[in-house]
Amino acid sequence: TLNFTKAAQNLFLSQTVVTNHIRHLEESVGFSVFERSKKAVSLTENGALLLKEAQKVLESAASCQNLAEQLKTGLAGKIRLAYIIGIEQCILTRIIGDFYQKHPDIQLELSRDNWANMQNMLLRNEVDGIFISRPELTDCCETMLLQSFPLLAAVSAKHPIAEETSVTYLRLCQETNIIFDAVTKKTIMPDLDNSLLRVSINSGAMVIPKFVVNYSSCYEKYIRYLPLTDIDISFDVCFAYSKSNQNRSLQLFADNTLRLLSAEAEERE
Protein backbone atom coordinates (compact mmCIF):
# COMPACT_ATOMS: atom_id res chain seq x y z
CA THR A 1 0.00 0.00 0.00
CA LEU A 2 1.09 3.60 -0.58
CA ASN A 3 -1.03 4.91 2.26
CA PHE A 4 0.90 5.47 5.49
CA THR A 5 -2.25 5.20 7.62
CA LYS A 6 -3.21 1.80 6.12
CA ALA A 7 0.38 0.61 6.33
CA ALA A 8 0.47 1.49 10.03
CA GLN A 9 -2.79 -0.40 10.59
CA ASN A 10 -1.48 -3.48 8.77
CA LEU A 11 1.69 -3.42 10.87
CA PHE A 12 -0.21 -2.73 14.11
CA LEU A 13 1.89 0.40 14.60
CA SER A 14 1.09 4.06 14.96
CA GLN A 15 1.38 6.28 11.90
CA THR A 16 4.06 8.30 13.68
CA VAL A 17 6.25 5.19 14.10
CA VAL A 18 5.86 4.28 10.41
CA THR A 19 6.67 7.85 9.35
CA ASN A 20 9.79 7.85 11.52
CA HIS A 21 10.96 4.53 10.05
CA ILE A 22 10.59 5.91 6.54
CA ARG A 23 12.47 9.08 7.48
CA HIS A 24 15.32 7.02 8.96
CA LEU A 25 15.38 4.86 5.80
CA GLU A 26 15.65 7.89 3.53
CA GLU A 27 18.40 9.36 5.69
CA SER A 28 20.25 6.05 5.56
CA VAL A 29 20.12 5.63 1.76
CA GLY A 30 20.63 9.33 1.04
CA PHE A 31 17.65 9.92 -1.24
CA SER A 32 13.88 10.22 -1.13
CA VAL A 33 12.05 6.91 -1.37
CA PHE A 34 8.57 8.45 -1.55
CA GLU A 35 7.12 11.50 -3.24
CA ARG A 36 4.51 13.07 -0.99
CA SER A 37 1.65 15.35 -1.87
CA LYS A 38 -1.55 16.33 -0.16
CA LYS A 39 -3.48 13.90 -2.35
CA ALA A 40 -1.17 10.88 -2.73
CA VAL A 41 2.06 9.12 -1.88
CA SER A 42 4.10 7.41 -4.60
CA LEU A 43 7.49 5.79 -4.96
CA THR A 44 10.29 7.78 -6.51
CA GLU A 45 12.22 6.15 -9.35
CA ASN A 46 15.00 5.27 -6.91
CA GLY A 47 12.42 4.09 -4.41
CA ALA A 48 10.92 1.66 -6.95
CA LEU A 49 14.37 0.21 -7.71
CA LEU A 50 15.11 -0.12 -4.00
CA LEU A 51 11.78 -1.89 -3.41
CA LYS A 52 12.55 -4.39 -6.16
CA GLU A 53 15.88 -5.29 -4.56
CA ALA A 54 14.36 -5.38 -1.08
CA GLN A 55 11.80 -7.93 -2.28
CA LYS A 56 14.64 -10.11 -3.61
CA VAL A 57 16.38 -9.91 -0.24
CA LEU A 58 13.22 -10.98 1.57
CA GLU A 59 12.71 -13.90 -0.83
CA SER A 60 16.36 -14.92 -0.41
CA ALA A 61 16.05 -14.75 3.37
CA ALA A 62 12.96 -16.97 3.27
CA SER A 63 14.76 -19.40 0.96
CA CYS A 64 17.78 -19.46 3.29
CA GLN A 65 15.56 -20.16 6.27
CA ASN A 66 13.85 -22.97 4.39
CA LEU A 67 17.21 -24.47 3.39
CA ALA A 68 18.44 -24.30 6.98
CA GLU A 69 15.34 -26.20 8.10
CA GLN A 70 15.88 -28.83 5.39
CA LEU A 71 19.53 -29.23 6.34
CA LYS A 72 18.56 -29.66 9.97
CA THR A 73 16.11 -32.44 9.12
CA GLY A 74 18.27 -34.02 6.40
CA LEU A 75 15.89 -33.07 3.57
CA ALA A 76 18.72 -31.19 1.86
CA GLY A 77 22.44 -31.79 1.80
CA LYS A 78 24.87 -34.19 0.16
CA ILE A 79 25.53 -37.92 0.41
CA ARG A 80 28.82 -39.36 -0.86
CA LEU A 81 28.40 -42.94 -2.06
CA ALA A 82 30.84 -45.45 -3.56
CA TYR A 83 30.00 -48.77 -5.19
CA ILE A 84 31.66 -51.82 -6.66
CA ILE A 85 31.67 -52.11 -10.41
CA GLY A 86 28.86 -54.10 -12.01
CA ILE A 87 25.98 -53.48 -9.60
CA GLU A 88 24.68 -50.44 -11.50
CA GLN A 89 22.24 -52.51 -13.54
CA CYS A 90 21.12 -55.00 -10.90
CA ILE A 91 20.40 -53.07 -7.72
CA LEU A 92 22.04 -49.66 -7.50
CA THR A 93 19.85 -47.92 -10.05
CA ARG A 94 16.58 -48.76 -8.38
CA ILE A 95 17.79 -47.90 -4.85
CA ILE A 96 19.33 -44.57 -5.78
CA GLY A 97 16.59 -43.78 -8.30
CA ASP A 98 13.83 -44.34 -5.74
CA PHE A 99 15.57 -42.10 -3.21
CA TYR A 100 16.25 -39.32 -5.72
CA GLN A 101 12.61 -39.22 -6.82
CA LYS A 102 11.56 -38.68 -3.19
CA HIS A 103 14.38 -36.32 -2.20
CA PRO A 104 15.52 -34.32 -5.26
CA ASP A 105 17.07 -31.61 -3.06
CA ILE A 106 19.68 -34.01 -1.69
CA GLN A 107 22.81 -34.16 -3.83
CA LEU A 108 24.19 -37.63 -4.52
CA GLU A 109 27.92 -37.80 -5.16
CA LEU A 110 28.79 -41.17 -6.72
CA SER A 111 32.11 -42.90 -7.28
CA ARG A 112 33.11 -46.42 -8.32
CA ASP A 113 36.08 -48.33 -6.94
CA ASN A 114 37.28 -51.77 -5.89
CA TRP A 115 36.43 -53.64 -2.70
CA ALA A 116 39.56 -52.78 -0.69
CA ASN A 117 39.72 -49.11 -1.62
CA MET A 118 36.10 -48.47 -0.71
CA GLN A 119 36.52 -49.81 2.80
CA ASN A 120 39.52 -47.54 3.31
CA MET A 121 37.55 -44.60 1.92
CA LEU A 122 34.83 -45.24 4.48
CA LEU A 123 37.33 -45.46 7.34
CA ARG A 124 38.90 -42.15 6.26
CA ASN A 125 35.45 -40.53 6.02
CA GLU A 126 35.95 -39.83 2.32
CA VAL A 127 32.50 -41.31 1.61
CA ASP A 128 29.33 -41.62 3.66
CA GLY A 129 28.31 -45.08 2.51
CA ILE A 130 29.50 -47.93 0.32
CA PHE A 131 27.80 -50.64 -1.71
CA ILE A 132 30.09 -53.61 -1.29
CA SER A 133 30.32 -57.37 -0.87
CA ARG A 134 30.83 -58.73 2.64
CA PRO A 135 32.35 -55.67 4.34
CA GLU A 136 34.94 -56.35 7.03
CA LEU A 137 34.09 -53.23 9.05
CA THR A 138 31.27 -54.67 11.12
CA ASP A 139 32.53 -53.28 14.45
CA CYS A 140 32.37 -49.65 13.36
CA CYS A 141 29.69 -49.84 10.68
CA GLU A 142 26.02 -50.41 10.20
CA THR A 143 25.49 -52.98 7.45
CA MET A 144 22.37 -54.03 5.60
CA LEU A 145 22.10 -56.91 3.15
CA LEU A 146 20.62 -55.71 -0.13
CA GLN A 147 20.64 -58.79 -2.35
CA SER A 148 22.41 -62.13 -2.75
CA PHE A 149 23.57 -63.48 -6.10
CA PRO A 150 24.68 -67.00 -7.12
CA LEU A 151 28.20 -67.43 -8.45
CA LEU A 152 28.95 -68.44 -12.05
CA ALA A 153 31.99 -69.53 -13.98
CA ALA A 154 32.87 -67.27 -16.89
CA VAL A 155 35.00 -68.85 -19.64
CA SER A 156 35.82 -68.06 -23.22
CA ALA A 157 33.44 -69.42 -25.85
CA LYS A 158 36.51 -71.18 -27.25
CA HIS A 159 37.30 -72.95 -23.98
CA PRO A 160 36.41 -76.70 -23.86
CA ILE A 161 34.32 -76.14 -20.72
CA ALA A 162 32.07 -73.74 -22.66
CA GLU A 163 30.38 -76.74 -24.33
CA GLU A 164 29.06 -78.00 -20.99
CA THR A 165 25.94 -76.95 -19.10
CA SER A 166 27.68 -76.62 -15.71
CA VAL A 167 31.07 -77.01 -14.10
CA THR A 168 32.54 -77.65 -10.67
CA TYR A 169 34.70 -75.06 -9.01
CA LEU A 170 37.35 -77.73 -8.44
CA ARG A 171 37.57 -78.56 -12.12
CA LEU A 172 37.63 -74.91 -13.13
CA CYS A 173 40.58 -74.25 -10.84
CA GLN A 174 42.45 -77.31 -12.08
CA GLU A 175 42.14 -76.49 -15.76
CA THR A 176 42.05 -72.73 -15.95
CA ASN A 177 43.93 -69.69 -14.78
CA ILE A 178 41.50 -67.89 -12.46
CA ILE A 179 42.06 -64.18 -12.96
CA PHE A 180 39.07 -63.01 -10.96
CA ASP A 181 37.66 -65.10 -8.11
CA ALA A 182 34.57 -63.95 -6.22
CA VAL A 183 34.89 -66.95 -3.89
CA THR A 184 38.27 -66.08 -2.37
CA LYS A 185 38.58 -62.45 -3.55
CA LYS A 186 42.04 -63.41 -4.79
CA THR A 187 42.51 -61.80 -8.17
CA ILE A 188 45.39 -61.51 -10.59
CA MET A 189 43.62 -58.60 -12.26
CA PRO A 190 41.09 -56.92 -9.94
CA ASP A 191 39.84 -54.59 -12.66
CA LEU A 192 36.63 -56.22 -13.86
CA ASP A 193 36.67 -54.79 -17.38
CA ASN A 194 40.22 -55.96 -18.06
CA SER A 195 39.41 -59.36 -16.58
CA LEU A 196 36.42 -59.75 -18.90
CA LEU A 197 38.64 -58.89 -21.83
CA ARG A 198 41.13 -61.55 -20.74
CA VAL A 199 38.37 -64.15 -20.54
CA SER A 200 36.98 -63.19 -23.95
CA ILE A 201 40.35 -63.96 -25.60
CA ASN A 202 40.67 -67.25 -23.68
CA SER A 203 43.50 -66.01 -21.47
CA GLY A 204 41.87 -67.12 -18.23
CA ALA A 205 38.55 -67.67 -16.47
CA MET A 206 36.55 -65.92 -13.78
CA VAL A 207 34.21 -66.75 -10.93
CA ILE A 208 31.68 -63.96 -10.85
CA PRO A 209 28.36 -63.05 -9.25
CA LYS A 210 25.43 -63.38 -11.62
CA PHE A 211 24.82 -59.64 -11.94
CA VAL A 212 28.05 -59.31 -13.94
CA VAL A 213 26.31 -61.14 -16.83
CA ASN A 214 24.15 -58.06 -17.48
CA TYR A 215 27.09 -55.74 -17.00
CA SER A 216 29.18 -57.66 -19.55
CA SER A 217 26.49 -58.02 -22.22
CA CYS A 218 28.85 -56.66 -24.89
CA TYR A 219 30.88 -59.89 -24.51
CA GLU A 220 27.94 -62.25 -25.04
CA LYS A 221 29.46 -63.62 -28.27
CA TYR A 222 32.78 -64.33 -26.63
CA ILE A 223 32.03 -65.48 -23.05
CA ARG A 224 29.97 -68.38 -21.70
CA TYR A 225 28.55 -68.42 -18.17
CA LEU A 226 28.07 -71.71 -16.34
CA PRO A 227 26.62 -72.52 -12.91
CA LEU A 228 29.00 -73.93 -10.31
CA THR A 229 27.63 -77.19 -8.90
CA ASP A 230 29.98 -77.95 -6.01
CA ILE A 231 29.80 -74.73 -3.95
CA ASP A 232 26.88 -73.12 -2.23
CA ILE A 233 28.21 -69.62 -1.76
CA SER A 234 26.34 -66.44 -2.61
CA PHE A 235 27.77 -63.06 -3.43
CA ASP A 236 26.10 -60.70 -0.98
CA VAL A 237 25.80 -57.04 -1.92
CA CYS A 238 25.53 -54.88 1.19
CA PHE A 239 25.25 -51.23 2.07
CA ALA A 240 27.59 -50.12 4.85
CA TYR A 241 28.09 -46.80 6.62
CA SER A 242 29.86 -45.63 9.76
CA LYS A 243 27.91 -45.77 13.03
CA SER A 244 29.37 -42.39 13.97
CA ASN A 245 28.28 -40.63 10.78
CA GLN A 246 26.15 -37.58 11.66
CA ASN A 247 24.88 -36.88 8.14
CA ARG A 248 21.10 -36.67 8.54
CA SER A 249 20.60 -37.14 4.80
CA LEU A 250 22.50 -40.43 5.00
CA GLN A 251 20.09 -41.71 7.64
CA LEU A 252 17.19 -40.76 5.37
CA PHE A 253 18.87 -42.74 2.59
CA ALA A 254 19.37 -45.79 4.82
CA ASP A 255 15.77 -45.66 6.06
CA ASN A 256 14.43 -45.29 2.53
CA THR A 257 16.52 -48.25 1.36
CA LEU A 258 15.13 -50.43 4.14
CA ARG A 259 11.56 -49.46 3.23
CA LEU A 260 12.21 -50.21 -0.44
CA LEU A 261 13.67 -53.64 0.32
CA SER A 262 10.76 -54.42 2.63
CA ALA A 263 8.21 -53.40 -0.02
CA GLU A 264 9.95 -55.52 -2.66
CA ALA A 265 10.01 -58.51 -0.29
CA GLU A 266 6.26 -58.16 0.31
CA GLU A 267 5.60 -58.04 -3.44
CA ARG A 268 7.55 -61.26 -3.97
CA GLU A 269 5.46 -62.98 -1.32
Side-chain angles (χ1 to χ4, degrees):
T1 179
L2 289 175
N3 184 299
F4 289 171
T5 301
K6 290 182 178 179
Q9 292 173 347
N10 291 339
L11 295 170
F12 300 101
L13 298 172
S14 68
Q15 184 174 338
T16 301
V17 172
V18 171
T19 302
N20 287 336
H21 278 305
I22 293 172
R23 179 170 55 81
H24 289 316
L25 171 63
E26 292 179 328
E27 290 175 353
S28 174
V29 298
F31 56 81
S32 296
V33 176
F34 294 98
E35 289 186 1
R36 303 161 179 83
S37 68
K38 292 182 180 180
K39 294 183 178 180
V41 176
S42 61
L43 285 168
T44 63
E45 184 177 347
N46 285 346
L49 292 173
L50 186 64
L51 174 62
K52 186 176 181 180
E53 290 303 311
Q55 290 172 332
K56 292 180 181 178
V57 170
L58 291 174
E59 291 173 359
S60 179
S63 177
C64 184
Q65 184 177 6
N66 182 57
L67 175 60
E69 186 64 27
Q70 288 184 322
L71 290 170
K72 183 176 72 173
T73 58
L75 294 176
K78 180 172 71 174
I79 308 174
R80 302 162 302 167
L81 301 171
Y83 60 93
I84 53 175
I85 188 171
I87 67 169
E88 302 95 315
Q89 299 180 35
C90 70
I91 190 169
L92 190 64
T93 301
R94 72 175 188 269
I95 289 178
I96 291 181
D98 181 79
F99 180 80
Y100 181 73
Q101 291 300 316
K102 296 174 181 175
H103 303 285
D105 293 327
I106 297 179
Q107 179 185 350
L108 298 176
E109 186 177 286
L110 304 174
S111 60
R112 186 172 69 177
D113 215 315
N114 62 49
W115 182 84
N117 285 348
M118 287 198 304
Q119 294 198 113
N120 290 329
M121 290 166 67
L122 190 62
L123 287 173
R124 294 193 299 262
N125 196 33
E126 295 174 359
V127 293
D128 295 305
I130 57 177
F131 293 86
I132 195 169
S133 169
R134 303 173 190 162
E136 296 177 350
L137 306 171
T138 53
D139 291 338
C140 61
C141 290
E142 297 286 353
T143 303
M144 68 175 76
L145 175 64
L146 302 177
Q147 193 168 343
S148 297
F149 298 89
L151 297 180
L152 302 175
V155 298
S156 168
K158 297 179 180 179
H159 195 288
I161 295 178
E163 301 299 324
E164 303 184 20
T165 57
S166 64
V167 65
T168 64
Y169 181 66
L170 178 62
R171 180 181 174 191
L172 187 72
C173 293
Q174 289 175 341
E175 296 191 11
T176 311
N177 176 31
I178 305 295
I179 58 176
F180 193 101
D181 193 341
V183 176
T184 63
K185 292 193 177 71
K186 293 180 180 179
T187 59
I188 297 175
M189 186 175 291
D191 183 279
L192 182 58
D193 290 308
N194 285 333
S195 297
L196 288 166
L197 180 60
R198 288 275 299 272
V199 172
S200 70
I201 63 173
N202 203 17
S203 179
M206 301 171 63
V207 179
I208 58 167
K210 190 175 182 179
F211 63 77
V212 176
V213 176
N214 291 331
Y215 175 81
S216 60
S217 58
C218 61
Y219 288 104
E220 61 183 356
K221 294 181 179 179
Y222 310 102
I223 298 178
R224 297 292 180 267
Y225 303 97
L226 307 171
L228 296 167
T229 58
D230 59 339
I231 58 174
D232 186 20
I233 301 174
S234 62
F235 188 95
D236 300 329
V237 176
C238 303
F239 178 65
Y241 58 97
S242 172
K243 294 177 180 178
S244 61
N245 193 304
Q246 299 299 308
N247 187 339
R248 294 177 183 269
S249 297
L250 174 66
Q251 192 57 56
L252 275 179
F253 182 84
D255 292 343
N256 189 79
T257 300
L258 282 174
R259 284 194 294 269
L260 178 63
L261 294 175
S262 178
E264 290 179 346
E266 290 181 0
E267 289 179 3
R268 288 193 295 270
E269 294 176 358

